[in-house]
């Protein structure tokens, strides 16, 4: 993709537009036809983001839109890193992990001045609507642009599956399979050395990865942020009971929001005398070729995003509800809350 240049002196003043849209956002959403759209990825990368970009580009072109890619997320947006993107640019991207548009954290975009500058850049390039692929933080940035009257569509892409408005987020299935395969290998060495393996998976505020990977790998203990636990009762006693019944290896899965695997492993070894080794899977879970589910979900969500643009239904989040891809208002979606259902936690305990 070629890099376009801009002259900052030509950036239009959006103060009038902003005031008008705060008074009546529907007015700005309805003005003009959508001819040029842009797509960006923001926040942590997730397997399947490339499939979503590809879907937006190919469907957008087929719908008659000119399509642009924004490099490095919101950080690139306010700097004007916007370039045309075509079919050849998304060729051979479907099976690749990460995001070829790249992503970055942007402190500047968290300020009103940064949001205004980003909106001005979109005006400079004549962009009529923006598709944002990312998590809740990315959607909040999109909402801020929407409040300035700029049409946006959000596609959920995060391995944590913690976006409240949707049952599934792009990247979740791949990350769980990556973690599961790594833990299966760790179990082999744990059983050879009569060890306890304490494995830290991603999930600062959400334990979806930890819970499901723990079930899939037969873990003795699963620690998630959503559920308080008693270390002596839920961890130490479980390991001691297993040892007394002839067990020689143990797997403890810890979501990163619960605490450090290194500290928990040290406490387990001190309390039980069982050699305990920590493993932090970290960004390993973000990489790798996306699974079939992530590729197809990303593609279907991209189709729905373009449908919204064609039908002039702006400021929407694409979601999966009851296995159906649909969309909801971005303000409504960000106001929702999500937590692991109690039934799933109860079911997991029955397997210990």
């Amino acid at each position: 993709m070629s890099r376009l240049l801009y002259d900052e002196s030509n950036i239009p003043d959006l103060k009038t537009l902003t005031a008008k849209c705060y008074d009546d956002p529907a007015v700005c959403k309805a003005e003009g036809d959508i001819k040029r759209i842009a797509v960006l990825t923001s926040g942590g990368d997730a397997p399947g983001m490339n499939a979503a970009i590809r879907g937006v580009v190919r469907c957008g072109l087929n719908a008659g839109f000119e399509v642009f890619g924004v490099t490095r997320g919101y950080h690139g947006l306010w700097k004007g890193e916007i370039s045309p993107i075509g079919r050849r640019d998304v060729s051979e991207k479907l099976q690749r992990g990460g995001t070829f548009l790249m992503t970055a954290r942007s402190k500047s975009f968290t300020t009103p001045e940064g949001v205004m500058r980003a909106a001005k850049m979109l005006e400079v390039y004549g962009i009529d609507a923006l598709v944002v692929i990312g998590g809740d933080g990315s959607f909040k940035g999109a909402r801020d642009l929407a409040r300035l009257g700029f049409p946006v569509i959000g596609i959920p892409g995060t391995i944590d599956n913690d976006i409240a408005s949707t049952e599934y987020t792009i990247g979740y299935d791949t990350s769980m399979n990556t973690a599961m395969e790594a833990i299966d290998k760790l179990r082999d060495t744990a059983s050879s050395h009569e060890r306890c393996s304490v494995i830290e998976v991603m999930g600062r505020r959400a334990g979806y990865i930890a819970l499901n990977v723990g079930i899939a790998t037969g873990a003795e203990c699963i620690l998630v942020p959503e559920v308080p636990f008693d270390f002596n009762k839920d961890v130490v006693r479980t390991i001691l009971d297993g040892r007394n019944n002839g067990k020689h290896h143990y797997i403890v899965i810890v979501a990163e929001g619960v605490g450090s695997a290194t500290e928990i492993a040290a406490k387990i070894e001190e309390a039980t005398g069982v050699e305990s080794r920590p493993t932090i899977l970290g960004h390993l879970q973000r990489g790798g070729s996306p699974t079939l589910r992530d590729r197809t979900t990303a593609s279907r969500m991209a189709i729905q995003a373009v449908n919204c643009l064609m039908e002039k239904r702006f400021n929407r989040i694409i979601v999966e509800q009851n296995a159906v891809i649909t969309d909801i208002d971005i303000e409504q979606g960000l106001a929702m809350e999500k937590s692991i259902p109690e039934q799933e936690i109860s079911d997991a305990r029955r397997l210990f």
Side-chain angles (χ1 to χ4, degrees):
M1 294 186 294
S2 61
R3 183 63 48 82
L4 300 181
L5 300 178
Y6 68 94
D7 180 357
E8 192 164 343
S9 64
N10 291 329
I11 296 176
D13 183 4
L14 295 188
K15 289 183 179 179
T16 302
L17 175 63
T18 303
K20 181 179 179 183
C21 291
Y22 270 119
D23 291 337
D24 187 2
V27 172
C28 292
K29 295 176 190 176
E31 286 182 352
D33 292 329
I34 299 298
K35 297 178 180 179
R36 288 184 166 193
I37 67 173
V39 58
L40 64 78
T41 51
S42 175
D45 61 296
M49 279 185 164
N50 282 329
I53 297 168
R54 174 183 179 271
V56 171
V57 171
R58 293 177 68 90
C59 290
L61 292 171
N62 287 337
F65 299 138
E66 292 182 65
V67 185
F68 290 73
V70 181
T71 307
R72 282 179 280 274
Y74 289 121
H75 186 68
L77 179 59
W78 73 263
K79 291 176 64 180
E81 297 182 8
I82 303 172
S83 306
I85 186 169
R87 293 179 186 276
R88 294 303 305 164
D89 296 307
V90 296
S91 178
E92 300 298 322
K93 298 295 193 297
L94 182 69
Q95 71 277 16
R96 287 175 49 185
T99 163
F100 77 92
L101 285 179
M102 295 187 287
T103 181
R105 308 291 182 183
S106 178
K107 292 182 179 179
S108 298
F109 193 78
T110 61
T111 67
E113 294 79 12
V115 176
M116 181 66 75
R117 184 176 175 86
K120 289 179 178 179
M121 287 299 174
L122 290 165
E123 288 288 312
V124 166
Y125 284 95
I127 305 300
D128 301 309
L130 177 68
V131 178
V132 174
I133 306 167
D136 267 337
S138 303
F139 291 168
K140 288 175 182 176
R143 178 197 59 193
D144 290 342
L145 286 171
R147 287 177 175 176
L148 290 179
F150 192 86
V152 298
I153 303 292
I155 296 179
T158 169
I159 66 169
D160 291 335
N161 199 38
D162 60 348
I163 297 179
S165 56
T166 183
E167 295 169 358
Y168 187 82
T169 62
I170 299 165
Y172 180 46
D173 187 58
T174 306
S175 67
M176 287 193 298
N177 277 281
T178 299
M180 180 185 71
E181 291 168 6
I183 292 166
D184 285 345
K185 292 178 173 64
L186 288 167
R187 180 179 284 280
D188 291 342
T189 189
S191 61
S192 297
H193 294 274
E194 297 185 317
R195 287 176 180 157
C196 173
S197 284
V198 181
I199 301 156
E200 183 180 311
V201 299
M202 284 188 164
R204 285 194 181 90
R205 294 176 297 274
Y208 295 98
I209 294 176
L211 178 65
N212 288 291
V213 167
I215 291 173
T217 58
E220 278 67 43
C221 302
I222 305 172
L223 307 180
V224 297
E226 293 87 345
V227 182
F229 66 94
D230 182 310
F231 183 76
N232 288 328
K233 176 183 176 182
D234 298 323
V235 181
V236 174
R237 178 66 183 270
T238 298
I239 292 172
L240 291 176
D241 285 349
R243 184 190 65 185
N244 295 340
N245 288 321
K247 194 171 183 63
H248 300 295
H249 63 274
Y250 318 88
I251 298 290
V252 176
I253 307 295
V254 181
E256 62 182 326
V258 170
S260 164
T262 302
E263 295 177 1
I264 292 172
K267 290 175 64 177
I268 290 174
E269 184 165 338
E270 181 181 2
T272 65
V274 175
E275 182 183 3
S276 302
R277 296 288 181 88
T279 300
I280 301 172
L281 297 184
H283 286 82
L284 174 72
Q285 298 157 89
R286 292 196 183 280
S289 181
T291 60
L292 181 146
R293 180 173 186 184
D294 280 326
R295 296 185 198 191
T296 56
T297 300
S299 299
R300 292 171 62 211
M301 285 185 168
I303 293 169
Q304 185 68 11
V306 174
N307 285 344
C308 287
L309 294 175
M310 293 172 65
E311 297 164 8
K312 291 191 176 182
R313 290 188 290 110
F314 304 139
N315 305 343
R316 312 291 290 177
I317 297 176
I318 309 303
V319 298
E320 180 178 304
Q321 295 179 348
N322 299 317
V324 175
I325 303 297
T326 183
D327 54 271
I328 66 170
D329 178 77
I330 193 168
E331 297 280 2
Q332 176 188 352
L334 285 172
M336 298 172 71
E337 296 182 354
K338 183 178 185 179
S339 186
I340 298 175
E342 180 60 37
Q343 184 62 51
E344 292 185 21
I345 295 169
S346 176
D347 287 347
R349 284 174 172 156
R350 297 175 66 185
L351 297 171
F352 294 162

